[in-house]
Amino acid sequence: MPNLTQYINRLKLLKNKQRKFNSYNEALKYCSVDAYEKTELIDVILKKTIHFKSTINNNVIPVWETSAYSLISILNPALENANSKTINVLDFGGACGAHYFHLRALIDTNIKLNWVVVETNTMVNYAKNLETEELKFTSTFSEAVSKLGSVDLIHTSGTLQCVDDPHKYLAEMLGIDARWLLFNRLGLNKIDRDVITIHKSKLSWNGIGELPEGYEDKWIKYPFVFMSEKKFYDQLQKKYSVIAKFDDKTGMFDVAGEKIVGYGLLCKKMSQLFYYFISSTCQEFCYYTSCCFIV
């Protein structure tokens, strides 16, 4: 189970000098075979998720810092949709659905939690057997939106750093027009440039819980992209305002010569009138005030 001590130890291990690359594909050459789509990695995450699902259904439900931010984010569409008692969530990078199983156990069963995970093709194929009436898996945003009809909340946790083109994926997420966005475990660069490096983690660190029996713990490497914080906000604040900022450094690590920062953000879609005002007159003002005054 994740805890502060584990995360601190991981950050210490990852604090060594990180090599930087000119492109995602260049970094990929120095990574584990198949990188994040490594079948052994996905199999471990699947088995951990199945075990976690059975554990939370029979015991006191644990809540740690990052999952608390997910709960906070769910409250908003729940209150807005009080009459319909249905919440539609698109979970970008949600692996085998652990976020869903966790929140489902914490939220009243009278509220229907329609949850679609957008993942890699390999992850989707592995996770299909976990589908329920509420939980679905797909590899595209368009199919996820089709399954949900409308999206109340886009939930993503540490995912933007793992994709080959975070600006493209961010633009696609913003284009969905969800009423709320949650960025958990976000990692950004305060210097105005994207940083492409390699994330090194133990097999046992991936997923929730202990490494299943029969697996040898080993190092896994895959490309990691820290977006420019300014460019991230330039995209985000064309359509969304930042409502809350969470202290969460678990999606970052030090890179020499860069100013990597980590936190979480809860964002709300702006009204059409406010969107027009921001986009035409004060994007820079919005960026700087959000960074300075949101706590």
Side-chain angles (χ1 to χ4, degrees):
M1 196 62 60
N3 59 54
L4 183 59
T5 301
Q6 286 179 325
Y7 283 129
I8 291 173
N9 289 336
R10 293 177 189 181
L11 288 174
K12 287 179 179 177
L13 284 171
L14 295 169
K15 198 172 182 180
N16 59 311
K17 187 175 181 180
Q18 295 287 325
R19 180 175 177 180
K20 290 178 277 189
F21 299 87
N22 294 320
S23 71
Y24 184 94
N25 287 333
E26 181 186 354
L28 192 59
K29 296 176 183 178
Y30 296 86
C31 293
S32 308
V33 176
D34 298 326
Y36 198 71
E37 292 197 66
K38 186 179 180 68
T39 54
E40 183 182 37
L41 170 63
I42 295 174
D43 195 47
V44 164
I45 292 173
L46 174 63
K47 289 179 178 177
K48 282 189 175 188
T49 303
I50 292 171
H51 181 261
F52 177 64
K53 175 177 177 289
S54 65
T55 300
I56 60 176
N57 287 338
N58 298 303
N59 294 286
V60 175
I61 305 167
V63 177
W64 49 95
E65 291 90 342
T66 301
S67 62
Y69 306 148
S70 297
L71 277 171
I72 291 170
S73 70
I74 284 285
L75 285 176
N76 293 282
L79 292 171
E80 289 180 343
N81 287 0
N83 293 327
S84 69
K85 291 188 176 181
T86 299
I87 305 173
N88 295 330
V89 180
L90 189 159
D91 186 3
F92 178 44
C96 292
H99 300 303
Y100 164 79
F101 292 119
H102 194 199
L103 293 176
R104 176 69 283 175
L106 290 163
I107 295 173
D108 192 302
T109 54
N110 289 320
I111 296 176
K112 186 174 184 182
L113 189 59
N114 294 322
W115 193 285
V116 178
V117 175
V118 176
E119 261 291 354
T120 65
N121 288 321
T122 308
M123 187 75 78
V124 169
N125 290 335
Y126 270 69
K128 279 289 185 181
N129 289 335
L130 292 177
E131 287 194 340
T132 67
E133 180 185 350
E134 292 184 339
L135 176 64
K136 306 295 179 186
F137 297 88
T138 181
S139 59
T140 66
F141 286 122
S142 59
E143 187 174 350
V145 174
S146 178
K147 289 177 182 292
L148 290 169
S150 62
V151 181
D152 297 314
L153 169 71
I154 293 179
H155 178 286
T156 184
S157 184
T159 306
L160 276 180
Q161 296 95 289
C162 297
V163 297
D164 58 346
D165 188 347
H167 296 280
K168 181 191 75 172
Y169 283 98
L170 177 59
E172 288 188 43
M173 280 192 285
L174 299 178
I176 291 169
D177 286 332
R179 286 183 294 137
W180 294 88
L181 285 177
L182 174 69
F183 296 95
N184 262 346
R185 306 185 64 241
L186 191 62
L188 300 170
N189 189 14
K190 276 198 164 296
I191 299 176
D192 189 13
R193 58 175 174 251
D194 295 348
V195 178
I196 302 170
T197 185
I198 290 176
H199 186 286
K200 184 179 180 183
S201 70
K202 281 292 189 76
L203 181 62
S204 59
W205 296 359
N206 293 270
I208 299 174
E210 301 297 322
L211 187 67
E213 291 185 8
Y215 291 89
E216 177 188 351
D217 206 2
K218 62 186 71 174
W219 289 101
I220 296 174
K221 297 189 294 184
Y222 41 86
F224 226 56
V225 184
F226 292 112
M227 294 175 66
S228 153
E229 185 181 50
K230 182 179 183 303
K231 290 175 183 174
F232 171 83
Y233 277 100
D234 283 346
Q235 281 186 262
L236 176 69
Q237 294 188 314
K238 290 177 181 177
K239 298 180 73 171
Y240 286 84
S241 55
V242 176
I243 301 301
K245 185 174 182 178
F246 310 118
D247 183 16
D248 189 345
K249 296 178 175 57
T250 59
M252 59 160 284
F253 51 82
D254 291 339
V255 180
E258 310 297 338
K259 294 183 179 179
I260 308 300
V261 292
Y263 46 79
L265 294 175
L266 177 61
C267 311
K268 185 176 184 180
K269 188 170 182 279
M270 292 184 283
S271 68
Q272 195 62 33
L273 179 62
F274 188 51
Y275 162 69
Y276 176 79
F277 173 72
I278 292 295
S279 62
S280 60
T281 62
C282 62
Q283 289 183 31
E284 288 299 313
F285 173 76
C286 186
Y287 167 74
Y288 286 113
T289 53
S290 70
C291 291
C292 295
F293 299 115
I294 296 294
V295 295

